[in-house]
Amino acid sequence: MGITSLPSTITTFPMPSEVVIAEEIGHGRVLTLNRPNNLNYVSEKVALTLGQKLEKYEKDDNAKFVILKGAGRTFSAGGDLERIYDARDSVLEGVYRIYWLFYHIHTYKKPHIALVHGMSMGGGVGLMAPMKFSVVTEKAFCSTPEANLGYHPDCGLSYILSRLPGRLGEYLGLTGGKLKGKEVVAAGLATHFVPSHKLFQLEKSLLSINNGCEEDTIRSVIDEFSTNVQVDETSVLSKLSIIDDCFSRETVEEILDSLEVEAGKRGNDWIMPVLKSIKKASPIGLKITLRSIREGRTQTLSECLRREFRITINTLRTLISYDLYEGIRAAIIDKDKSPNWNPSTLDEVHDEQLDLIFKPFDEHDLELQIPISEEEYRWGGKYENSGYCLRTK
C-alpha cells in the first residue's frame, strides 16, 4: 500500500497571518483555511489563494493529492456575510473568483480530500461535497440556509443538491435543515465517517504514503479509519418517503400545503419545525431556491455555475429585491432575527420577477468564464481576463 513514516523533509509555510496555510509534505499538499475566529469564511483572498495553490499543485508532478481542512472547530461557514453587507456589489471580484474556484474543485485532476470536523455551511458544503474523498466526524454538521437569508444555494449547490436521493435537495435547500455526522455520509454529501479521535492519525497516514498515490490507495487508507454508517430512525433521512412526496410538488405553496396535511398525521411531529423554518424564510429566496435546484436536475455543472453566478450578481445588485441585505442585517448585523421581507408573501413573488435574475446577461463577457468542456482552456477564464475586471481598468 506504500505507507511509511512521515518524510523527514517537510516544506511548510505556516504564517499565522495567512488566510490559507499551505504545506508540502512528501507527495501530499495540505491547505488549511486559517480564519478560525471568522468561521473560516471564504473571502476574496481565500478564494484567490486556494485557486492559485490548486492550479500549482495540479501542474506539479511531485504533488499527488491535496488535503483541505479548516483551522479550529469550523471547516467553513461559506461566504463572508458581513463583508457582503458592507461592500454590496463591490464584492464582484470575490464572487467571480469564488465561482471560478468551485468549478476547478469539481473538475480537479488529482485526488483531493476534505477533512471536515465541525461546521460546514453554505459554501462550506460546496467546498467539501465535490471532493473525491470527503471525511466527516461526529462533530461535523452541514446545512444550506441561504433561503433564510433571502439568497439561494450557490457555488455549485444547485448541482449538488439536485443530485441527492429523491427530493432531499429541495428539503435541505428550502428548510436549511442540518445534517450531522453520519447523516452527511448517508445523504451523499461526504464519502466517509471517521471518529474524531482518529482524524489526526488518518491525516498522518495519508501524508505517509510513499508511493502508489492513486485513488484506490488513498481510499484504502481512509477505509482503515472509517466506520459503517447507519441512520437512526429519528433522523430526517428516515422520513424520505414523506419528503419525496411533499417536496416533489410544483411550487413552494403546494409543498407547504402538503406538509400541513402530513403534519396532522400521527407520528409526524417532526414536520412542525420544518414548516416553521420555511414560513420564516424569505419568500423570494424560497422561490429562487426551488427553481434553481429544479433547473439543476437537468443541467451540467458548467450550466449550473453560470446560472447561479447570474442569480448572485443580480441579487447583489438588488435587481428585484433587497432581501439578501435584509436577511444579513437581521441575522448578522443587528441580530434581531426579525427580517422584513419584501415581498412579504409567496403569492407576491411572480415568475416574471424570477425570470429577470435567471436570464443570461445581455453581454456575454459578463458571464462566468468557465470551460464548457473540461479540457477547454483548463485554467483560463480568470477574473483578470473577465469583463468585470477589464471594465474597471
Side-chain angles (χ1 to χ4, degrees), residues 33-42 69-72 74-78:
L33 304 175
N34 192 40
R35 302 178 71 200
N37 294 329
N38 298 99
L39 302 179
N40 290 327
Y41 286 134
V42 182
K69 61 181 182 176
T74 298
F75 177 69
S76 175

Side-chain angles (χ1 to χ4, degrees), residues 239-258:
K239 322 292 184 184
L240 285 183
S241 60
I242 296 176
I243 287 174
D244 289 350
D245 179 41
C246 294
F247 285 85
S248 64
R249 306 305 171 98
E250 186 173 348
T251 66
V252 178
E253 292 93 331
E254 290 173 349
I255 289 172
L256 285 170
D257 289 342
S258 63

Side-chain angles (χ1 to χ4, degrees), residues 66 68 87 98-99 106 124 166 174 185 206 220 266 288-289 303 307 326-327 353 357 366 378:
V66 179
L68 178 65
I98 287 170
Y99 273 94
H106 274 270
L174 294 177
V185 178
L206 287 169
S220 296
R266 186 174 180 179
I288 292 172
T289 294
E303 289 171 334
R307 170 179 40 75
E326 176 61 12
Q353 293 172 287
I357 62 173
L366 295 181
R378 168 68 180 155

Side-chain angles (χ1 to χ4, degrees), residues 177-203:
K178 187 185 298 183
L179 297 178
K180 301 178 181 178
K182 293 183 178 181
E183 291 180 319
V184 182
V185 178
L189 291 171
T191 60
H192 293 79
F193 176 84
V194 172
S196 57
H197 67 274
K198 294 183 178 181
L199 195 62
F200 174 78
Q201 190 59 43
L202 166 61
E203 182 180 354

Side-chain angles (χ1 to χ4, degrees), residues 108-223:
Y108 206 59
K109 303 298 186 183
K110 294 182 178 180
H112 45 4
I113 307 123
L115 300 181
V116 182
H117 180 62
M119 179 195 302
S120 182
M121 294 175 61
V125 180
L127 274 176
M128 60 172 274
M131 295 265 176
K132 180 61 66 175
F133 303 101
S134 188
V135 178
V136 297
T137 73
E138 73 280 1
K139 295 184 179 180
F141 64 90
C142 297
S143 66
T144 53
E146 287 84 356
N148 293 328
L149 295 171
Y151 194 51
H152 68 108
D154 62 352
C155 297
L157 282 172
S158 71
Y159 181 83
I160 293 167
L161 293 176
S162 63
R163 283 156 177 77
L164 297 184
R167 300 293 173 164
L168 182 60
E170 282 95 331
Y171 166 82
L172 294 174
L174 294 177
T175 67
K178 187 185 298 183
L179 297 178
K180 301 178 181 178
K182 293 183 178 181
E183 291 180 319
V184 182
V185 178
L189 291 171
T191 60
H192 293 79
F193 176 84
V194 172
S196 57
H197 67 274
K198 294 183 178 181
L199 195 62
F200 174 78
Q201 190 59 43
L202 166 61
E203 182 180 354
K204 184 177 179 182
S205 294
L206 287 169
L207 294 172
S208 297
I209 298 176
N210 190 40
N211 54 62
C213 297
E214 295 80 10
E215 286 181 17
D216 287 345
T217 301
I218 294 170
R219 181 180 292 104
S220 296
V221 172
I222 300 175
D223 285 346

Side-chain angles (χ1 to χ4, degrees), residues 31-76:
L31 296 172
T32 304
L33 304 175
N34 192 40
R35 302 178 71 200
N37 294 329
N38 298 99
L39 302 179
N40 290 327
Y41 286 134
V42 182
S43 65
E44 176 185 316
K45 187 175 180 181
V46 170
L48 174 61
T49 304
L50 287 176
Q52 290 172 337
K53 295 298 182 183
L54 288 173
E55 180 177 3
K56 174 186 175 183
Y57 300 155
E58 187 174 285
K59 296 175 178 178
D60 181 0
D61 291 340
N62 292 318
K64 303 300 184 183
F65 62 90
V66 179
I67 293 174
L68 178 65
K69 61 181 182 176
R73 294 179 291 180
T74 298
F75 177 69
S76 175

